[in-house]
């Protein structure tokens, strides 16, 4: 099951996991994109797919979606908690409360709602692997990143807590912390200002959604006894959250 499969890292992960032989539960708010991806996974990768159209911020929708799963679809082997976003990049004193609430409700509460609905199914079977998509912003804080960084620090803490709670059920928890990945992330953060979004990735080669998907595929297909706990990954040109080496005309 991959949340936020309509774009970027989530979409690429669904494709990589289908290629690895998984059947997929894909989720997101944009139903047309879910249908398009479902067709691709069916036709090209011969993967069986259930598309669940819900907003992770709405716990009633989350519970209904998971409850709607029947038979073998309840045997979720891998949950990729990927749905998330940044909205705005403002100093705290100028922050827009609605932006903050969207980030907190999606990145923290949404991830928790989905995890609360899916983990009992995994615990019943003493089997499963949860991959939480955190960020370098979950390890460090940068100027104007205040609330986004706080939500990803929360994901980092939730991953650590989950790993302890899931231990006795044999369920693995992997926290993945990417640096700059060129997806729709910056377009969403800068509210459709494409020029500003493009500037985020100017002058160096960022990671792609498929790069992160490759790592997720690697982590979930390792031998059963091996668990990658925490993985920080950046493009070669990025040393940490704030140092990116840019050259003109990348
Ligand atoms: P995209 O904007 O390309 O994809 C975000 C995905 O999240 C979309 O599928 C979107 O689906 C889904 N999503 C957002 N809000 C909700 C919601 N309320 N309910 C359900 N689904 C939702 O960005 P990325 O692929 O880059 O982001 C994926 C994850 O990776 C996020 O958690 C992000 O914080 C993290 N990340 C991204 C980095 C980057 O540089 N790009 C670096 C580090 C971490 P829809 O709109 O259809 O609901
Ligand atoms: C996304 C990477 O640097 O914009 O999590 O926080 S960053």
């Amino acid at each position: 099951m991959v949340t936020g499969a309509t774009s970027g890292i989530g979409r690429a992960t669904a494709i990589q996991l289908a290629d690895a032989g998984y059947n997929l539960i894909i989720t997101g708010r944009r139903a047309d994109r879910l249908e398009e991806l479902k067709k691709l996974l069916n036709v090209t990768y011969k993967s069986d797919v259930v598309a669940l159209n819900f907003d992770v911020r709405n716990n009633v929708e989350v519970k209904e979606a998971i409850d709607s799963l029947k038979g073998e679809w309840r045997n979720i082997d891998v949950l990729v908690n990927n749905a998330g976003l940044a909205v705005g990049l403002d100093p705290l004193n100028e922050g827009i409360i609605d932006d903050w609430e969207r980030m907190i409700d999606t990145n923290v509460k949404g991830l928790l709602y989905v995890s609360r609905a899916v983990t009992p199914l995994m615990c019943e079977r003493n089997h499963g692997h949860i991959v939480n998509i955190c960020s370098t912003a979950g390890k460090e804080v940068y100027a104007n990143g205040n609330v986004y960084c706080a939500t990803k620090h929360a994901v980092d803490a939730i991953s650590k807590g989950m790993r302890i709670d899931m231990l006795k059920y044999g369920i693995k928890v992997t926290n993945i912390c990417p640096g700059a990945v060129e997806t729709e992330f910056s377009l969403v953060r800068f509210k459709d200002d494409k020029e500003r979004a493009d500037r985020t990735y100017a002058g160096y080669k960022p990671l792609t959604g498929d790069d992160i998907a490759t790592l997720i595929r690697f982590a979930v297909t390792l031998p059963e006894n091996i668990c990658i706990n925490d993985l920080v990954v950046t493009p070669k040109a990025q040393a940490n959250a704030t140092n990116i080496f840019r050259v003109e005309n990348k």
Side-chain angles (χ1 to χ4, degrees), residues 22 77-78 127-131 163 167 170-175 215-231:
Y22 284 88
D77 297 306
V78 175
H127 173 79
H129 193 158
I130 299 164
V131 179
R163 193 173 304 112
L167 206 53
I171 296 166
K172 302 197 259 189
V173 178
T174 297
N175 193 55
L215 296 172
I216 294 169
R217 177 179 182 162
F218 175 71
V220 303
T221 55
L222 283 167
E224 177 59 22
N225 191 42
I226 305 173
C227 178
I228 295 181
N229 284 206
D230 203 8
L231 198 155

Side-chain angles (χ1 to χ4, degrees), residues 4 6-7 9 29-30 55-56 82 134 148 152 179 181 183:
T6 57
S7 171
I9 295 170
R29 289 167 302 177
R30 285 170 287 183
D55 186 327
V56 297
N82 164 76
C134 186
Y148 179 69
K152 290 299 182 176
V181 188
T183 61

Side-chain angles (χ1 to χ4, degrees), residues 56-57 81-87 99-112 133 147-152 154-155 158 185:
V56 297
R57 293 173 296 180
N81 271 320
N82 164 76
L85 78 182
V87 198
D99 292 352
W100 295 357
E101 285 175 346
R102 282 177 64 194
M103 291 188 277
I104 293 166
D105 289 351
T106 309
N107 301 355
V108 184
K109 292 167 71 179
L111 182 144
L112 286 170
I133 305 303
V147 175
Y148 179 69
C149 295
T151 65
K152 290 299 182 176
V155 172
I158 291 165
F185 176 85

Side-chain angles (χ1 to χ4, degrees), residues 9 85-86 89 133-138 140 142 145 148-149 152 177-181 185-186 189-190 200-201 204 238 240-242 244:
I9 295 170
L85 78 182
L89 187 68
I133 305 303
C134 186
S135 169
T136 45
E140 299 167 66
Y142 52 84
Y148 179 69
C149 295
K152 290 299 182 176
C177 302
V181 188
F185 176 85
S186 291
R189 167 171 255 176
F190 299 124
T200 309
Y201 309 109
Y204 69 102
Q238 180 176 21
N240 54 36
T242 44
I244 296 183

Side-chain angles (χ1 to χ4, degrees), residues 36-145:
E36 178 271 328
L37 179 60
K38 181 177 176 175
K39 271 192 202 119
L40 175 79
L41 299 177
N42 284 156
V43 174
T44 309
Y45 298 91
K46 311 294 174 218
S47 180
D48 286 339
V49 178
V50 169
L52 296 178
N53 181 209
F54 64 86
D55 186 327
V56 297
R57 293 173 296 180
N58 184 327
N59 192 36
V60 173
E61 283 185 23
V62 171
K63 284 208 298 204
E64 279 175 6
I66 303 303
D67 284 349
S68 76
L69 294 169
K70 301 284 175 251
E72 291 215 322
W73 288 107
R74 299 182 72 74
N75 299 341
I76 297 170
D77 297 306
V78 175
L79 166 64
V80 183
N81 271 320
N82 164 76
L85 78 182
V87 198
L89 187 68
D90 303 303
L92 194 103
N93 53 302
E94 294 171 17
I96 298 168
I97 302 288
D98 185 58
D99 292 352
W100 295 357
E101 285 175 346
R102 282 177 64 194
M103 291 188 277
I104 293 166
D105 289 351
T106 309
N107 301 355
V108 184
K109 292 167 71 179
L111 182 144
L112 286 170
Y113 294 157
V114 172
S115 302
R116 179 63 184 86
V118 172
T119 50
L121 304 177
M122 290 181 165
C123 291
E124 268 170 26
R125 299 168 61 225
N126 292 305
H127 173 79
H129 193 158
I130 299 164
V131 179
N132 291 330
I133 305 303
C134 186
S135 169
T136 45
K139 302 290 188 185
E140 299 167 66
V141 177
Y142 52 84
N144 304 326

